[in-house]
């Protein structure tokens, strides 16, 4: 049964909008009139149009918080014993944003038509990742959809919290960098030339620091825009080069061993790998499919390649711990936890503990890096501003000495 978005007028003249399911637009208008409403607009929500829209770079989609809330509410409604159709009806009433209402109405109409939830979610890959649909399909197969959705909601919430903590850790250094750069450019481009030019007109021999600062100021004023364009073009070229698989592989391999940042990169990807593998295996997904799903969540292609190699080894009968131990980028702690899980038959729990440990390590490293960046940035900015102030004050000090 298709879904329709409508706008109608109440008996008291107020307008009302919403989403409803009906056999056709004419039936939808008749149903609205039967409710005492005067329909103004009744448009069908097309799945085909939505999928085409999903391919756009700037297409609307569920935010991370909306996806988490959607999953948690659906799990709660199913645990309360509501059928899937009624659960989506309740979600439809609670949805606030138009896009979310349209999405839920579209899913609900497909479910009423007899399709499974996992098949319907696969039609919206921009909103529901492959791991999401794979876990939903697993929950449907084992008859534990509400439990799997509850675990999935926990997983999404933990992932969102981790990303939020990392972003917050680097927000202050980023703000300091931007502000410091803007202040220095302003001083060099406007303040220094106007003040020092007064002394240059007196034919007085300027101090070396002042001469250097004037040269830097002239360079910034004359070539600043060109430098900005060159950096922008260079960044664009670098992004194009990263589309080459060989260059991207070498770059990501270097990131894993880079000073200070390398351990952060490894911890971030290891945490995502372990947590995804824990929830997929714990939800009944076969280990080979779980490894493939976990592989897709990694942002580093070098670690992806190692997971592919480990997957091939597992397919040939090698244990997961042994397969991963042949690759250097996965920490020994993760290997030991996986080996213990395989021996005790409790692999999902051990993977979950390993993921929690890697998440704590990642948070610690993020705070450490941010803590190191803050004083370094402040110190560099202070030194640069001090040099600029000295370049301005030194001619004034020399004139005062001559007057005395």
């Amino acid at each position: 049964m298709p879904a329709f978005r409508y706008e109608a007028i109440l008996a008291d003249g107020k307008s009302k909008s919403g989403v409803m399911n009906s056999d056709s637009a004419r039936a939808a208008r008749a149903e609205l009139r039967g409710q005492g409403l005067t329909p103004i607009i009744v448009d069908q929500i097309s799945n085909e149009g939505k999928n085409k829209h999903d391919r756009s770079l700037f297409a609307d989609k569920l935010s991370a918080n909306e996806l988490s809330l959607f999953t948690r509410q659906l799990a709660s409604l199913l645990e309360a014993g509501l059928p899937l159709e009624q659960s989506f009806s309740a979600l439809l009433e609670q949805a606030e944003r138009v896009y979310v209402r349209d999405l839920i109405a579209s899913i609900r109409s497909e479910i009423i038509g007899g399709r499974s939830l996992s098949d319907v979610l696969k039609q919206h890959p921009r909103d529901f990742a492959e791991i999401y649909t794979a876990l939903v399909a697993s929950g449907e197969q084992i008859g534990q959809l509400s439990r799997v959705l509850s675990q999935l909601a926990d997983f999404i919430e933990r992932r969102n919290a981790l990303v939020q903590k990392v972003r917050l850790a680097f927000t202050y250094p980023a703000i300091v960098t931007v502000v410091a750069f803007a202040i220095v450019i302003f001083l060099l481009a406007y303040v220094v030339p106007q003040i020092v030019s007064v002394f240059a007109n007196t034919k007085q021999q300027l101090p070396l620091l002042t001469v250097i600062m004037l040269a830097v100021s002239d360079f910034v004023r004359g070539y600043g825009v060109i430098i900005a364009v060159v950096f922008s073009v260079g960044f664009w070229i670098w992004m194009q080069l990263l589309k080459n698989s060989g260059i991207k592989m070498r770059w990501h391999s270097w990131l894993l061993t880079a000073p200070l940042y390398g351990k952060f990169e490894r911890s971030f990807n290891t945490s995502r790998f372990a947590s995804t593998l824990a929830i997929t295996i714990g939800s009944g997904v076969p280990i080979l499919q779980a490894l493939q799903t976990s592989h897709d969540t990694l942002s580093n292609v070098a670690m992806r390649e190692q997971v592919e190699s480990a997957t091939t080894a597992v397919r040939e009968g090698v244990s997961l711990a042994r397969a991963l131990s042949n690759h250097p980028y996965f920490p020994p702690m993760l290997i030991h936890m996986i080996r213990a899980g395989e021996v005790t038959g409790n692999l999902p729990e051990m993977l979950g503990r390993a993921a929690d440990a890697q998440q704590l390590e990642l948070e610690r490293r993020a705070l450490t890096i941010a803590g190191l960046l803050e004083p370094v940035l402040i110190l560099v900015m202070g030194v640069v501003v001090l040099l600029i102030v000295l370049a301005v004050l030194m001619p004034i000090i020399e004139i005062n000495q001559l007057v005395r």
Side-chain angles (χ1 to χ4, degrees):
M1 184 179 295
F4 294 87
R5 185 191 304 110
Y6 69 86
E7 292 184 14
I9 303 297
L10 298 171
D12 56 3
K14 296 181 180 179
S15 62
K16 179 182 179 181
S17 60
V19 179
M20 62 183 301
N21 294 96
S22 188
D23 294 329
S24 64
R26 176 176 295 180
R29 291 189 180 91
E31 184 175 348
L32 289 172
R33 292 190 186 96
Q35 298 175 6
L37 303 175
T38 303
I40 303 300
I41 299 175
V42 178
D43 292 329
Q44 182 176 352
I45 301 173
S46 173
N47 289 330
E48 180 180 0
K50 184 179 289 294
N51 290 337
K52 289 181 180 179
H53 183 62
D54 284 346
R55 300 190 187 101
S56 172
L57 180 62
F58 301 102
D60 201 356
K61 61 177 291 187
L62 287 179
S63 66
N65 291 331
E66 287 173 338
L67 178 62
S68 174
L69 180 61
F70 168 84
T71 308
R72 178 64 68 191
Q73 289 179 333
L74 181 58
S76 300
L77 291 170
L78 292 177
E79 288 175 351
L82 268 70
L84 192 59
E85 178 188 341
Q86 294 184 17
S87 298
F88 272 93
S89 298
L91 290 176
L92 185 60
E93 295 176 358
Q94 300 175 26
E96 298 180 357
R97 198 157 63 96
V98 174
Y99 177 82
V100 179
R101 287 202 301 268
D102 290 351
L103 178 64
I104 294 176
S106 176
I107 296 174
R108 179 178 178 273
S109 65
E110 293 290 335
I111 291 175
I112 293 175
R115 301 190 61 182
S116 67
L117 177 59
S118 58
D119 289 339
V120 177
L121 296 182
K122 289 177 182 178
Q123 295 183 345
H124 307 275
R126 190 176 180 87
D127 297 304
F128 304 99
E130 184 177 350
I131 178 179
Y132 196 104
T133 55
L135 290 174
V136 170
S138 174
E140 290 175 329
Q141 291 173 4
I142 64 178
Q144 296 290 335
L145 181 58
S146 60
R147 180 178 64 84
V148 171
L149 283 172
S150 180
Q151 295 177 350
L152 185 56
D154 293 336
F155 169 75
I156 296 173
E157 289 168 359
R158 288 196 302 267
R159 185 184 62 184
N160 293 345
L162 176 61
V163 173
Q164 187 69 17
K165 289 179 180 178
V166 173
R167 286 179 178 173
L168 288 175
F170 290 101
T171 296
Y172 180 74
I175 293 175
V176 171
T177 301
V178 173
V179 172
F181 189 77
I183 291 175
V184 170
I185 293 297
F186 174 76
L187 291 175
L188 289 175
Y190 296 99
V191 177
V192 172
Q194 293 182 8
I195 295 178
V196 180
S197 62
V198 176
F199 305 106
N201 295 332
T202 62
K203 308 300 182 180
Q204 175 189 353
Q205 184 177 0
L206 298 175
L208 178 60
L209 180 60
T210 305
V211 174
I212 294 174
M213 200 60 63
L214 278 175
V216 173
S217 176
D218 292 338
F219 181 81
V220 170
R221 296 175 66 188
Y223 301 98
V225 176
I226 298 176
I227 294 175
V229 172
V230 169
F231 270 103
S232 300
V233 173
F235 177 77
W236 180 82
I237 293 175
W238 175 245
M239 296 303 296
Q240 298 303 311
L241 289 175
L242 286 180
K243 293 181 179 180
N244 180 279
S245 58
I247 295 176
K248 188 173 185 178
M249 176 65 69
R250 289 193 293 270
W251 169 245
H252 281 202
S253 298
W254 180 84
L255 286 178
L256 292 171
T257 58
L260 190 63
Y261 178 76
K263 293 182 178 180
F264 178 86
E265 179 80 2
R266 292 198 300 271
S267 296
F268 179 75
N269 282 275
T270 301
S271 175
R272 299 185 73 171
F273 172 77
S275 59
T276 305
L277 197 59
I279 188 175
T280 48
I281 295 179
S283 300
V285 178
I287 187 169
L288 292 177
Q289 184 181 351
L291 283 171
Q292 180 59 45
T293 304
S294 303
H295 158 276
D296 295 337
T297 63
L298 297 176
S299 60
N300 189 284
V301 295
M303 294 189 72
R304 281 189 178 187
E305 186 180 53
Q306 293 193 351
V307 172
E308 289 179 1
S309 177
T311 304
T312 302
V314 171
R315 185 179 291 111
E316 295 172 353
V318 179
S319 68
L320 178 58
R322 184 178 177 184
L324 291 177
S325 64
N326 296 325
H327 304 289
Y329 296 143
F330 292 96
M333 186 274 296
L334 175 64
I335 307 299
H336 295 325
M337 296 291 282
I338 292 176
R339 184 175 289 112
E342 290 176 330
V343 172
T344 60
N346 201 5
L347 182 58
E349 182 180 349
M350 290 300 178
L351 282 169
R353 293 181 180 179
D356 292 339
Q358 287 299 309
Q359 181 172 339
L360 291 175
E361 180 70 11
L362 178 62
E363 293 175 11
R364 186 184 67 81
R365 293 192 184 281
L367 293 175
T368 300
I369 295 175
L372 291 174
L373 284 176
E374 291 174 14
V376 169
L377 291 171
I378 294 174
L379 179 61
V380 171
M381 179 183 177
V383 170
V384 173
V385 173
L386 176 62
L387 291 175
I388 294 175
V389 172
L390 287 177
V392 173
L393 291 180
M394 287 178 68
I396 299 176
I397 294 173
E398 290 187 358
I399 289 179
N400 289 336
Q401 290 177 349
L402 291 175
V403 171
R404 292 180 183 177

